[in-house]
Amino acid sequence: MKKIVILASGNGTNAQSIIDHFAHSHLVKISLILSNKPQAYVLERGTKAGISVMSFNKFAFAKAEHVQRLLNEEQPDLIVLAGFLWKIPSFLIQDHPNKIINIHPALLPNYGGKGMYGMNVHRAIIENKEKESGITIHYVTENYDEGAIIKHATCTIGKEDTAEDLAAKIQVLEQKHFAITIEELLQ
């Protein structure tokens, strides 16, 4: 059985989509959900689904090697960032080469980098009057949003669309493509 560990920082809508997708799988198991925010709703989502959950602070993540130890013990086939906002330390990337993926709410390489997440991305795209946007599923490297692209999915932007309208379109793409792409990577 293939194992997934999810890292998330917030509500966990993408994590829930992944949980739902693999809920009855005999081939893939979500073994752990980790969050850098102890009050993140994603932890409740995981608990309700019978998945082990844990929160951690910046020290445990980057300095104390607590999360590193957990991941090395877990030996996941894939580590999925689902709305996780911290930069991944290089030692975790080295421990799990080509096993950490992220979903970004824009078509990389455009609108990526530090600070480019969530509504920040959508507002920038609308302000620049782009006609198209989408999602990028990519491998994680030491630099924000610069890993090899696994998949793009696109949507059109109407002339009257707001950043909120674009966010809703992006969420549909995330729900449609993320779990399926994870499944394809694990085959």
Side-chain angles (χ1 to χ4, degrees):
M1 177 162 294
K2 304 279 184 158
K3 290 195 289 186
I4 298 172
V5 171
I6 296 175
L7 275 70
S9 294
N11 186 27
T13 54
N14 279 327
Q16 186 67 58
S17 176
I18 297 164
I19 291 166
D20 293 345
H21 185 83
F22 293 109
H24 303 291
S25 174
H26 299 290
L27 304 174
V28 176
K29 173 187 178 187
I30 301 167
S31 59
L32 183 62
I33 296 177
L34 299 171
S35 180
N36 59 315
K37 295 185 177 180
Q39 303 305 319
Y41 188 65
V42 70
L43 297 172
E44 188 172 326
R45 291 178 187 271
T47 300
K48 286 180 181 177
I51 300 166
S52 295
V53 300
M54 182 182 291
S55 65
F56 55 87
N57 61 28
K58 205 162 204 112
F59 182 75
F61 187 58
K63 303 281 189 253
E65 300 171 356
H66 180 70
V67 173
Q68 180 183 28
R69 201 168 31 258
L70 271 174
L71 291 173
N72 288 341
E73 288 170 8
E74 196 65 34
Q75 284 299 300
D77 296 284
L78 203 58
I79 299 168
V80 177
L81 308 186
F84 185 72
L85 300 179
W86 287 356
K87 190 173 184 180
I88 304 300
S90 59
F91 60 83
L92 288 180
I93 294 167
Q94 291 166 9
D95 285 354
H96 306 278
N98 294 317
K99 289 187 176 183
I100 307 174
I101 65 168
N102 184 41
I103 188 165
H104 185 76
L107 299 172
L108 294 174
N110 299 323
Y111 301 100
K114 186 172 183 171
M116 292 304 286
Y117 59 89
M119 291 305 291
N120 295 344
V121 173
H122 306 314
R123 280 191 285 274
I125 290 169
I126 294 296
E127 287 170 9
N128 286 330
K129 300 185 185 330
E130 299 286 356
K131 292 177 173 48
E132 182 178 73
S133 188
I135 62 167
T136 304
I137 300 167
H138 64 95
Y139 288 104
V140 173
T141 63
E142 286 85 1
N143 299 315
Y144 285 113
D145 303 324
E146 291 184 11
I149 293 170
I150 300 164
K151 182 179 187 96
H152 275 141
T154 62
C155 63
T156 57
I157 302 171
K159 289 182 181 183
E160 304 300 318
D161 279 352
T162 64
E164 290 76 15
D165 296 328
L166 178 56
K169 290 179 180 184
I170 294 301
Q171 188 171 35
V172 168
L173 291 175
E174 290 171 341
Q175 302 295 309
K176 180 178 179 182
H177 294 282
F178 202 18
I180 290 170
T181 302
I182 291 166
E183 185 172 12
E184 290 168 355
L185 288 171
L186 291 172
Q187 292 179 355

